[in-house]
Amino acid sequence: MKNLLIKEWKKDTTRLDILQEVAKVWYFQEEYDSAFYYYEKFVNAREKFGLDIYPQEDVKISIVYRKKGLEAQAAKFFNDYTEYCKKDQSIYKSASMAVKYAYEGENGEAIEQLKIFATQDNYQYWILLFMELDPLIKPLKSHPEFDGIIQKIKDRFWEKHNILEKLLENKGLL
């Protein structure tokens, strides 16, 4: 997947959507030097063109910059992420807050936010794929409630998916 993304990005290096995805893949693999290479390009382009895009990625960028010893920049990205969380009105707010608290080492608060997220509906499949892979979430895995909460999130997604699938089948759309 990573190589396909890089190949696509090289076709058009102005594609910041692909660029941040490439960086994110490296981040999830905890290859922070490579993640930094792509995130730095993304950050520079975002700043150069005054773009307010992908603010939800700022926490990942913060981690990567912190791993590179760039504490001041890392703090700025985390502060930006915190502001994003405060303003977020989406169903993902509690998931974002969980990540924020995990970053701060507030694992109990992070678990509480995951519990809130587990009550949401209509979230996208990517949340199931990536939530447990996020290096920031790793410390939460040792919490006694973590597995049950994650299972509730998965079960809720598939329950809603199955209902939608039957509805679409009944309407002849599948």
Side-chain angles (χ1 to χ4, degrees):
M1 177 170 97
K2 175 176 50 197
N3 290 335
L4 291 173
L5 281 169
I6 292 169
K7 184 179 175 183
E8 282 304 306
W9 176 69
K10 285 183 177 181
K11 288 179 187 177
D12 181 358
T13 58
T14 65
R15 293 282 311 267
L16 299 183
D17 57 331
I18 297 174
L19 180 58
Q20 64 85 32
E21 291 293 337
V22 171
K24 193 179 340 185
V25 170
W26 287 111
Y27 163 83
F28 277 111
Q29 294 177 339
E30 298 183 59
E31 296 284 342
Y32 298 115
D33 288 339
S34 296
F36 178 78
Y37 175 81
Y38 292 100
Y39 272 138
E40 185 178 43
K41 289 180 179 305
F42 172 76
V43 165
N44 289 339
R46 190 168 68 171
E47 289 173 3
K48 178 180 177 182
F49 298 109
L51 301 172
D52 186 20
I53 57 173
Y54 301 105
Q56 69 278 13
E57 297 305 311
D58 284 345
V59 70
K60 293 176 190 76
I61 296 169
S62 178
I63 289 289
V64 170
Y65 275 61
R66 200 167 86 192
K67 295 284 185 182
K68 294 293 289 180
L70 303 168
E71 295 296 330
Q73 294 97 320
K76 179 202 172 298
F77 289 117
F78 184 68
N79 288 339
D80 291 348
Y81 181 75
T82 299
E83 288 304 310
Y84 159 77
C85 288
K86 289 177 186 175
K87 295 175 189 172
D88 188 5
Q89 301 277 322
S90 77
I91 62 170
Y92 300 101
K93 180 174 185 155
S94 51
S96 296
M97 291 297 293
V99 171
K100 174 195 170 305
Y101 285 124
Y103 182 102
E104 296 172 323
E106 300 287 339
N107 294 350
E109 291 295 327
I111 290 293
E112 290 305 313
Q113 291 297 315
L114 286 178
K115 286 180 187 177
I116 293 167
F117 183 72
T119 67
Q120 298 295 326
D121 288 325
N122 303 317
Y123 39 89
Q124 295 178 350
Y125 182 63
W126 59 262
I127 200 90
L128 301 184
L129 295 176
F130 293 104
M131 183 175 280
E132 291 180 274
L133 297 176
D134 194 327
L136 275 170
I137 297 298
K138 277 185 179 180
L140 302 181
K141 290 182 177 186
S142 63
H143 192 283
E145 294 181 81
F146 181 80
D147 290 336
I149 295 166
I150 293 299
Q151 191 59 53
K152 185 176 178 184
I153 292 168
K154 290 176 182 178
D155 292 347
R156 193 168 184 95
F157 174 86
W158 288 113
E159 178 185 314
K160 298 298 178 180
H161 169 81
N162 292 336
I163 290 169
L164 179 60
E165 184 177 49
K166 286 181 181 152
L167 177 69
L168 294 173
E169 284 173 355
N170 290 342
K171 293 187 177 220
L173 298 171
L174 277 182

